Amino acid sequence: MEEVFDLFGNPVEAGSGKPGRPRKVATPEDRNKVKMLLAVGWSNERIAAVLRMSLPTFRRNFFQELKIRPVARDMLDARRLELALAAAQAGNVGAMRQVDRLLDRFDQMEAERAYASRPKDQPESKEKLGKKVLDEVLALDADAALMKELDLETKGGGGNVRH
């Protein structure tokens, strides 16, 4: 029996359009697709929609793949580096350049992680003030500014002041 594919290259199920439907089975191609989409940050809902299955069915069939979500991107980057190194060792100059770019990117990511994890010199911010306290602080600041202006007028501007 010849397999039929839709516009996007997905196989059309044999029972499509008939009452009832066969249970979805995760193929190796689907498993690889899920790993790839997890690596680029897609949500479960989005991946399930691409695979044309409900979210519970997706979770049931791809439970093992969903466990690797936190490290999926690192696994993809590691595989890319592995393939580029193999090609570079075979003498591919383009692959050598790609290895250099990947290593630079990994160094930059590591520097950003180190920078983000270092302790801050200053505390983040003071406690958030309530509306009444903030109004009071602003009023005191306005009073202080007015008193300063009045002091300047009385001390320095003798010609314009009348008593």
Side-chain angles (χ1 to χ4, degrees):
M1 185 167 124
E2 187 176 321
E3 194 167 8
V4 179
F5 295 93
D6 67 6
L7 176 66
F8 301 108
N10 298 317
V12 175
E13 297 171 7
S16 186
K18 297 179 183 174
R21 59 183 166 164
R23 184 178 178 99
K24 292 277 188 178
V25 178
T27 64
E29 292 82 16
D30 286 343
R31 292 189 185 284
N32 287 335
K33 187 184 294 187
V34 168
K35 289 175 188 175
M36 177 192 61
L37 295 174
L38 288 172
V40 296
W42 282 30
S43 67
N44 290 353
E45 293 83 7
R46 194 171 175 192
I47 300 171
V50 166
L51 296 174
R52 298 178 306 171
M53 60 178 63
S54 69
L55 193 55
T57 301
F58 171 72
R59 286 189 187 125
R60 183 182 64 240
N61 283 325
F62 298 99
F63 179 76
Q64 294 299 321
E65 287 76 12
L66 291 173
K67 285 182 181 180
I68 68 160
R69 180 185 295 277
V71 295
R73 181 60 177 250
D74 292 335
M75 293 171 70
L76 178 63
D77 287 342
R79 180 67 177 149
R80 288 178 58 214
L81 181 60
E82 180 183 354
L83 293 172
L85 277 172
Q89 288 174 343
N92 185 328
V93 176
M96 290 177 193
R97 286 191 205 115
Q98 182 63 23
V99 168
D100 288 340
R101 280 187 287 241
L102 287 170
L103 292 177
D104 287 343
R105 189 170 133 244
F106 296 152
D107 290 344
Q108 181 182 6
M109 286 172 30
E110 190 59 37
E112 288 171 0
R113 281 188 194 127
Y115 180 77
S117 67
R118 72 179 176 89
K120 307 266 188 224
D121 294 339
Q122 299 176 353
E124 282 293 318
S125 64
K126 296 179 183 176
E127 221 177 277
K128 187 173 182 180
L129 300 176
K131 184 177 180 178
K132 291 180 181 178
V133 175
L134 185 59
D135 287 344
E136 193 174 309
V137 169
L138 291 173
L140 289 174
D141 289 345
D143 284 344
L146 179 61
M147 291 304 293
K148 185 177 179 181
E149 186 177 330
L150 290 174
D151 285 343
L152 286 174
E153 284 182 10
T154 56
K155 290 180 184 175
N160 293 337
V161 178
R162 290 190 181 176
H163 294 283

